[in-house]
Amino acid sequence: MSIPVTLAPSQAINAKRGCALFFPASTTYTIPVSGYYRLSALGAGGSGGASFSSGATAPAAGGGGGGAFCEHEVYLAKDTVLTITVGAGGAAASSTVDATPVNGTAGGATTITWPGALLLHAGGGGAGLSTATNAVVATGGAGGAAVGGNSVNA
């Protein structure tokens, strides 16, 4: 699963105003034209927990937390190289053994950096928990946290 990073310049990119680029995998990107750019990042979601029961117990599992979203507008000079790291979604949890719960896994962070600066960091969502009985609460994962620019938690 890939989480897109949006790189939409406020000024022309290849003579197109408002062009949006999506990066489904980690990469570097060289700024083609000096100007203001709106950078967006979305952290990957965590996976939910899993629990299986064929008997009298009633298992419970919580959902994974959502990844954070953050966005920032910044002036970037031509030939600035951005390093974009795309976080992976939490791996699916599976429980096939009676009364054996399995917790989910956390999602990865998505970051955008350039030499000497961390522009954006959108944290991944937390893992959902699970339990073999509904007498115990199986909490959902916490949402990711955002850092950089004008940050908004998803």
Side-chain angles (χ1 to χ4, degrees):
M1 174 180 197
S2 64
I3 304 298
V5 176
T6 305
L7 179 69
S10 299
Q11 298 197 356
I13 212 175
N14 296 334
K16 293 183 181 178
R17 182 173 173 82
C19 177
L21 302 174
F22 296 89
F23 299 93
S26 297
T27 189
T28 59
Y29 179 77
T30 303
I31 299 298
V33 177
S34 294
Y36 283 92
Y37 288 78
R38 179 174 294 155
L39 305 175
S40 303
L42 177 63
S47 66
S51 193
F52 170 76
S53 176
S54 63
T57 62
F69 172 79
C70 54
E71 189 170 72
H72 185 63
E73 192 166 304
V74 62
Y75 183 86
L76 296 171
K78 181 181 189 303
D79 295 328
T80 299
V81 177
L82 299 178
T83 300
I84 301 163
T85 305
V86 178
S94 177
S95 175
T96 58
V97 178
D98 192 30
T100 305
V102 177
N103 291 335
T105 57
T110 296
T111 60
I112 302 174
T113 61
W114 62 293
L118 170 66
L119 292 179
L120 296 174
H121 175 95
L129 302 181
S130 60
T131 178
T133 173
N134 65 1
V136 178
V137 174
T139 60
V147 178
N150 299 322
S151 301
V152 177
N153 284 327

